[in-house]
Structures are given as structure tokens and as C-alpha cells.
Amino acid sequence: MASPTVFSVCGMCSVRCPIQVEVEDGAVRRIQGSRQCAGIQGALCARGAAGVALLNDDERPQFPMIREGARGEGKWRRATWDEALDYVAERLQAVRAKHGDASVLLSDRGGPFRDIYRAFLRGIGSPNYCNHDSACARNVQHAALSTFGFGRKDMAHDYKNAKHVVLQTRNIFEAINVKEVNQLLDGMAAGCKLTVIDIRATVTASKADNFFLLRPGTDYAFNLAIINVLLTSGLYDAAFAKAHILGLEEIQAFILPYTPAWAEQETGIPAERIVDLAEQLAQAAPAVVWHPGWMTARYQDSFYVCRTAYIINALLGAIGAKGGLPFANKPKDVGRKGLKSVLDIYPKPKGQRADGVGWQEDRTHFESGPGLLHLAFEAMATDKPYPVKAYIAHRHDPLMAYPDPTALKKLWDHLELLVAVTFTWSDTAWYADVVLPLSTYLERESILGSKNGLKPEFFVRHRAVEPRFDTKSEWEIYCGLAKRMGLDALAFSSIEDIWRFQLEGTGVAPEDFLAAGFVPLTDKPKYRTVEELAFGTPSGKIELVSSNLAKDGLGSLALYTSPAHPPVGRFRLTFGRCGVHTQGHTVNNPLLHAQVPENVLWINEDKADALGIEDGEVVEIIGRSHSGRIKAHVTPFIHPEAVFMLHGFGHDLPVESRARGRGVADQELMDHGLENWDRAGGGICMQEHFVSVHKIH
Ligand SMILES: Nc1nc2c(c(=O)[nH]1)N[C@H]1C(S)=C(S)[C@@H](COP(=O)(O)OP(=O)(O)OC[C@H]3O[C@@H](n4cnc5c(=O)[nH]c(N)nc54)[C@H](O)[C@@H]3O)O[C@H]1N2
Ligand SMILES: Nc1nc2c(c(=O)[nH]1)N[C@H]1C(S)=C(S)[C@@H](COP(=O)(O)OP(=O)(O)OC[C@H]3O[C@@H](n4cnc5c(=O)[nH]c(N)nc54)[C@H](O)[C@@H]3O)O[C@H]1N2
Ligand code: SF4
Ligand SMILES: [Mo]
């Protein structure tokens, strides 16, 4: 019997805020942010509050389903769990026998609960785990690795103590992480300045001290000019640079042509404003956060935008600084033992990855852990370096999350097995051979997670109520498959057994999570000094000049190439998020749908005028082979070269009555987009597409 208040974590997006769920007679009455968490204090975003609507929604997969008709036709056979798991296990075994263990691919959305299915994949003997990140933050991650030798999450953003925060391609008050939003608001209340660099005026921009509306795709020019000013005017932290930075002289020579006056031509931002920003930052240093960006799968040079952002932080001495980018602590950094990893039940498979990451020429500088999914998709069609014939999309909807779904389906048609594990319908689930329906986050528990930070912690998702339908938790699904496939060491029969396995030697017990859902591993935030830390680069320093990049024939900073202006009559297609939806998977949620039922097309008022388009009018947007109808949002607050729409709309599944036929899907307007990716950072270049907009006569 569940207790009246269950402490758990939200599952409406990938942030996983701590929550408390009030349960009455086996039903969820109310969800609020955890009152036990100082950074949350009861707060949730709108999506978190709409969790009850997800739970109560009947328009989600309710039982396992096996495809009967053609892929995507929507003819399903209802199956029992035994049938569905037997079916998947048998098909996986058949594919392994025919094409080898490595022919099985699994992709997900990353996160702290993935060890259970990664262990499953390892048990099978496949190295082909990928996450979603080549369509999200791979460029930032690789920029961090090349500059510091560790990942982007190994540093925190200390908004609360910052004196100046720069958000570039980052709309923090609409693309939300509740704790971060609260910290930034606290920081701003204490006098922190906010600078926003965007192509349109967002909610975040409306709160900025400095707002730069620049030409789409010219951020690299902007950043090079900032570096130019910092170095040529001696505004950088010379002592920090001497102690910790490698390659300053080379960069000093490289940036000489990239003056603010030059950048003005590119970005449209007056040179004196760029100089002024550099001066403001130098005054606030080292308590400065120049955000390196999050959704950075946008341009050919996005990797270098992220790298220059990190370089600017380094030049200001903000790396490792209080109020800057302090180092995130792992359990061992605060003298505690970390969780025992379920992943390590099986050794890392020895074979090479199908996406070529880590071994193929030009791909050695990429991080092999989550690989580059679009390249694994390519292998499905080419059978190079070897066949990929079974694919499990776990918490992943690549038909929405990658460009050009028509092309992607063709690649998937080479698969002998396509499985989707999900709690909402998605284009991918609809196209799958088997749908394994996951319980919503309120109806399932997870393995324990570990969060690094100034105060590292362990946390858990507790089951608040029993599943309304015939759905299961991840651990039940993968342990069930493991049992059927002879992977006995992974065939746990209860979640408590898994928790006890993970907690071995940590001094923490499963019961310790009941009171708050998380267990902090230290009382106070711990700031480690930069002197205490070895950078993971080959030189042990912050590498402005990177030997790893050079090995793959890449520049440490690329020569600047001006992004194309849209051809006459066309616009650069740009996209982003709003505060009340998560990607594409909440648009059919009754409460959230009521808030924002469809996306609209932001278009600059002068351009709209010239096309005779009025605010609110339905217009046609045309890509190379797809088009759609969408309401125009005519505004002065977007750069004239761009049109902008929210991502995640334009659903057409018959099982989603609310979302169906509302708005336009941006990914469909990105023909050949799977082939356009950044060789330096690995990210897809999703904003290198042009569209035309027409009045409907
Ligand atoms: N509410 C909500 N919050 C979310 C999510 C969600 O779906 N909904 N998703 C989460 C995820 S997975 C991610 S990755 C993050 C994404 O977080 P963000 O990256 O902050 O969010 P986006 O809205 O994708 O993009 C940020 C801004 O980039 C701007 N932009 C577009 N092109 C350019 C350009 O050329 N230059 C500059 N300077 N700006 C440009 C857009 O106008 C937009 O305002 O949000 C997370 N938080
Ligand atoms: N054109 C375009 N493409 C984009 C973006 C864009 O802005 N424009 N944004 C990119 C970004 S930043 C990202 S992060 C990706 C996101 O891409 P995805 O990760 O594919 O997006 P989601 O909608 O969050 O989740 C996909 C599916 O997983 C299910 N799901 C959600 N939570 C869970 C869970 O805990 N377990 C399981 N098993 N299933 C779950 C959802 O119901 C949904 O069906 O898309 C990227 N692609
Ligand atoms: S940011 Fe919102 S949706 Fe995401 S975990 Fe937190 S409350 Fe849930
Ligand atoms: Mo993302």
C-alpha cells in the first residue's frame, strides 16, 4: 500500500526535479515540487503539474502490441507481456545468430536510469548503444572534452553566485530546469547581470540587461570578436591563463583579423556593443557564466561556437570559480563511495562501434560512450562496417527527433526488428514491430540514480500508484528479456534487489530514500579549486589548441565561414521550445494541449508585410519536398532572415485526437538533413535549411 505522500522524481522531461506526490485511495491527488529540496521549495513547471493528466489519459499505449500489417499501417495485435517479451527475445536471438551480436542497436535519451538496459545490451555483446545527443548537445559535449578533457556536466553553472550570466542560444526561462531557473532568479535579485544572445526576443530576452538580436548562425563571429577584445585589450585573467591554459599565443595570433568591426558586418551587432560586453564581463570576472549552449545541433560551426564559449569562460578565469563554472563533484570527491554500477555486471564488448566512433578515421576525437546515432542509422542501409538489423528505441522518437523522417524510415526498412519502449504514442512507436508500453513515471519505480554537482546525491523514482493499464517499469521489461535470453546475472526479480546491489558499500539503505526521494552525500556545497584538479586533456591544461582535434585533421578554431543568406523569397528555418511542452511528447496531454494546442510561425513584420501576410493568418510553409499550413505570428522581434516555430507539433497519428493535425512538424522540412552533420562536433546541422512562406489565396 503506497503511503499518502510519495517522494519521487518528475518524469515530464529529462531534468527530473524532485517531487512529492499526494496519494489517496490509490489515486494521485496532487503533485508538487519536493518541499525537502531547498532549490525547489514546492515549485514545479507547468509540465510537471500536468503529470496527473498524463496518468489519467487513455490515449497512450495500454498493453503490449505486436504489428500485424505493414510498418506504420497501424494494425496491431494485443499481446500479453509473456507473449511480447518472448517474441522480442526470440527475434533478438535470431538476429544475433544470423548477423552477429553487434547487429543489435539500442538508443535512448540518456539520463541516470539507463544502466539497466545498457547492461542488457552489453550482455548481448553489442557495443552499439547510442543516445539522442547528436540531435541535441553533442557539440557542447565534444567542445568540453576537447577544451578540458572532461564532459559538459563535469562543471556546474553557479548562477546563484554569478555576477554576469550570458545566455547564447539558450532560452532558460522557457526551456526549463526549475532549479536552475530559481538559482538564476536568486542571482539576478542579488545583482547579477543577464545578457541574452538570440535571433528573436524570448521570455528570457525580456528579462535581460543586454539583449543582442543577431543574424542567425553568426554566433561564432560574435564570440571570436569577444575573444579578440579580451586578448588585445588585456581584459583576460593573465595569471589564470599562465597557470592553466595551453595555446594562448596561437589563439592570440589567430583572432587578430576577427575584430568587433568585422563582427558587426557579420552579426549586425554594433562593434561598440561587443566591446562594451567584453568590458562588462571583465569587470564581473571570474564570477561569470557564459553558457555554452544546450540544444546546439544547429549549424556547421556550432561546435566552434561552443568551444569559443568555453574559451571565453577560461579567459575570464571562470573555470572552477565560485559564481562561474565550478567543478561538479562525484561521490568520491566528497569522500563517499559511488553506486555500484549495474552496467558492470557485464564487461564492455570488445567489438568496434557501427557508427565508427572512436576508431574510424576522422572519428577518433568523438566520445565513444553514446556514439553518433545518425551514423548507426546509416550502417543499417550500407551494412558497413557490418549489418545493424535489430533496433530498440527506448525513450526515443527519432522520427520526430531527427531530420527527414521519410529518409529515416527508408533506413529502418532494412531492419529485421524494431522495438519501441515508451509511455506515449510516438511516430517511432507507430512504425515499430513491437510496442512495449512503459508505465508513466507515477506508476513505476526506477533504479537508483546518482547526480553529480556541488552537492552530489543519490536519488530514486518511487512508484506512487499502481499502473492503470497493462504497462511495466524499465527494470521489469529488461530483466524479463534478460531472463529469457540466458542473462541470469541481470534477471533481478525485484527492484529492492537492484537497489541493494547498487548501494553495496555506500552506507546508504533503500529506506533512506523514503523521507525525501534523494540522499545528499554532503551537507554543504563543495568548491574544488582549479589547483586541486587535473584537466583530462593530453597536456593536463585547458587546451585552446587541441592535439586531439589536430589528430583528426580539425582546427582548434576553424576559420570563419559566413553562413549563407537565404535565397530570395526564402527564410532560414529555426526552432525551439516553449515553457509548457516537452519536445513532441506532451502535445497530446489534455492540460498542456489546452495551453498551447499548435505551433505558430514567427515571421518578421517587414517580411510579412512584403508578402501581404497578416498576424494570425494561416500560411503555407514549403520545404524541398514537404509543406504544411500554420498560423503566422507577425512580429518585429525576430531577425528578418529567419522564421521560427516550436518543435514537436504536426502529429498525424489517429490515436492522438488532440494533437492530430495541429501545427507543422519542423523535422519534415529538413530534407537530406541526416547527411548534414558537423565533422568536428558530431551534431546534426538542423538549422541549415531554407523554406518559403506563402499566402494562401
Ligand atoms: N519547457 C521545456 N523545457 C525544456 C525542454 C522542452 O522540450 N520544453 N527540452 C529540454 C532539452 S532536451 C533541451 S536540449 C533544452 C534546450 O534548451 P535551449 O537550447 O535553451 O532551447 P531552444 O528553445 O531549443 O533554443 C534556445 C534559443 O536558441 C535560439 N536560436 C536559434 N537560432 C539561433 C542562433 O543562430 N543564434 C542564437 N544566438 N540563438 C539562436 C532560439 O530562438 C531559442 O530561443 O531545453 C530543455 N528544457
Ligand atoms: N527538428 C528538431 N529536432 C529536434 C529538436 C528540435 O528542436 N527540432 N530537439 C532535439 C532535442 S534537444 C532533443 S533532446 C531530442 C528529443 O528527442 P526524443 O528524446 O525523441 O524526445 P522525447 O519526446 O522527450 O521522448 C521520446 C519518446 O520517449 C518517451 N518517453 C519519455 N520519457 C520516457 C521515459 O522515461 N522512459 C521511456 N521509455 N520513454 C519515455 C516519450 O513518450 C516519447 O515517445 O530531439 C531533438 N530533435
Ligand atoms: S523541469 Fe518541469 S517537467 Fe522537467 S522535471 Fe522539472 S518539473 Fe518536471
Ligand atoms: Mo535536448
Side-chain angles (χ1 to χ4, degrees), residues 34-97:
S34 173
R35 303 244 163 229
Q36 303 295 324
C37 172
I40 294 280
Q41 303 278 8
L44 278 183
C45 81
R47 298 166 296 154
V52 188
L54 167 71
L55 175 66
N56 294 333
D57 190 3
D58 290 352
E59 291 193 355
R60 56 181 168 102
Q62 301 183 2
F63 39 76
M65 269 166 285
I66 299 174
R67 178 169 66 83
E68 296 232 291
R71 280 202 179 127
E73 201 185 347
K75 284 196 186 144
W76 301 100
R77 167 163 74 83
R78 179 176 180 162
T80 64
W81 275 99
D82 270 340
E83 264 178 289
L85 294 180
D86 284 350
Y87 183 91
V88 172
E90 277 161 25
R91 296 285 292 270
L92 283 174
Q93 297 294 49
V95 167
R96 288 169 77 189

Side-chain angles (χ1 to χ4, degrees), residues 109 132-133 135-137 294-295 577 583:
R109 178 73 185 288
H132 69 299
D133 214 28
C136 177
W294 189 350
M295 200 301 173
R577 270 132 270 280
Q583 314 292 0

Side-chain angles (χ1 to χ4, degrees), residues 214-426:
L214 49 53
R215 178 162 97 85
T218 62
D219 294 83
Y220 187 40
F222 190 94
N223 292 8
L224 287 171
I226 292 282
I227 295 176
N228 177 298
V229 180
L230 291 177
L231 291 179
T232 56
S233 308
L235 292 174
Y236 68 101
D237 186 332
F240 182 92
K242 186 154 184 266
H244 305 295
I245 288 180
L246 181 84
L248 190 72
E249 296 74 22
E250 285 92 328
I251 297 302
Q252 245 156 349
F254 177 87
I255 51 88
L256 281 179
Y258 299 119
T259 60
W262 164 82
E264 176 172 343
Q265 303 303 313
E266 282 299 317
T267 60
I269 306 294
E272 58 276 15
R273 289 195 66 203
I274 298 177
V275 175
D276 176 54
L277 175 63
E279 286 170 359
Q280 288 184 41
L281 294 175
Q283 264 172 26
V288 171
V289 178
W290 185 301
H291 197 288
W294 189 350
M295 200 301 173
T296 48
R298 294 186 195 265
Y299 297 106
Q300 286 288 351
D301 64 3
S302 289
F303 167 77
Y304 289 106
V305 179
C306 302
R307 226 175 105 76
T308 44
Y310 278 130
I311 289 173
I312 292 167
N313 284 308
L315 292 174
L316 293 166
I319 303 302
K322 187 168 183 177
L325 289 77
F327 304 115
N329 299 307
K330 298 192 171 73
K332 72 170 171 25
D333 298 319
V334 295
R336 300 290 293 267
K337 185 178 172 301
L339 294 175
K340 188 168 142 193
S341 173
V342 179
L343 181 60
D344 292 337
I345 291 178
Y346 297 104
K348 192 169 176 219
K350 292 215 168 56
Q352 290 170 323
R353 297 182 55 94
D355 55 17
V357 166
W359 63 274
Q360 205 165 304
E361 202 189 339
D362 301 348
R363 298 183 192 171
T364 66
H365 67 291
F366 294 133
E367 185 184 28
S368 60
L372 295 173
L373 181 58
H374 56 285
L375 299 178
F377 288 152
E378 211 173 274
M380 290 173 185
T382 60
D383 284 351
K384 288 192 180 109
Y386 50 75
V388 173
K389 294 290 178 192
Y391 172 38
I392 303 175
H394 179 102
R395 189 188 180 198
H396 204 181
D397 183 8
L399 291 179
M400 172 98 31
Y402 277 83
D404 202 343
T406 311
L408 188 49
K409 281 180 187 167
K410 284 201 184 115
L411 299 179
W412 287 359
D413 286 343
H414 297 270
L415 289 170
E416 291 172 19
L417 178 66
L418 173 56
V419 180
V421 185
T422 177
F423 60 66
T424 61
W425 276 110
S426 68

Side-chain angles (χ1 to χ4, degrees), residues 13-15 45 47 109 132 135-137 167-172 174-177 197-200 202 212 214-219 293-296 298-299 572 574-584 644 646 687:
C13 87
S14 48
V15 171
C45 81
R47 298 166 296 154
R109 178 73 185 288
H132 69 299
C136 177
L167 299 175
Q168 178 172 41
T169 326
R170 177 78 184 93
N171 183 10
I172 199 168
E174 293 180 270
I176 297 170
N177 170 328
I197 307 166
D198 207 299
I199 55 152
R200 61 187 185 112
T202 59
F212 297 95
L214 49 53
R215 178 162 97 85
T218 62
D219 294 83
W294 189 350
M295 200 301 173
T296 48
R298 294 186 195 265
Y299 297 106
R572 188 178 286 275
T574 71
F575 53 77
R577 270 132 270 280
C578 68
V580 307
H581 283 298
T582 300
Q583 314 292 0
F644 171 92
L646 295 176
Q687 286 193 178

Side-chain angles (χ1 to χ4, degrees), residues 11 91 128 137 151 165 285 341 357 436 490 506 583 695:
R91 296 285 292 270
N128 291 315
V165 169
S341 173
V357 166
L436 299 178
L490 190 62
T506 59
Q583 314 292 0
K695 203 174 167 66

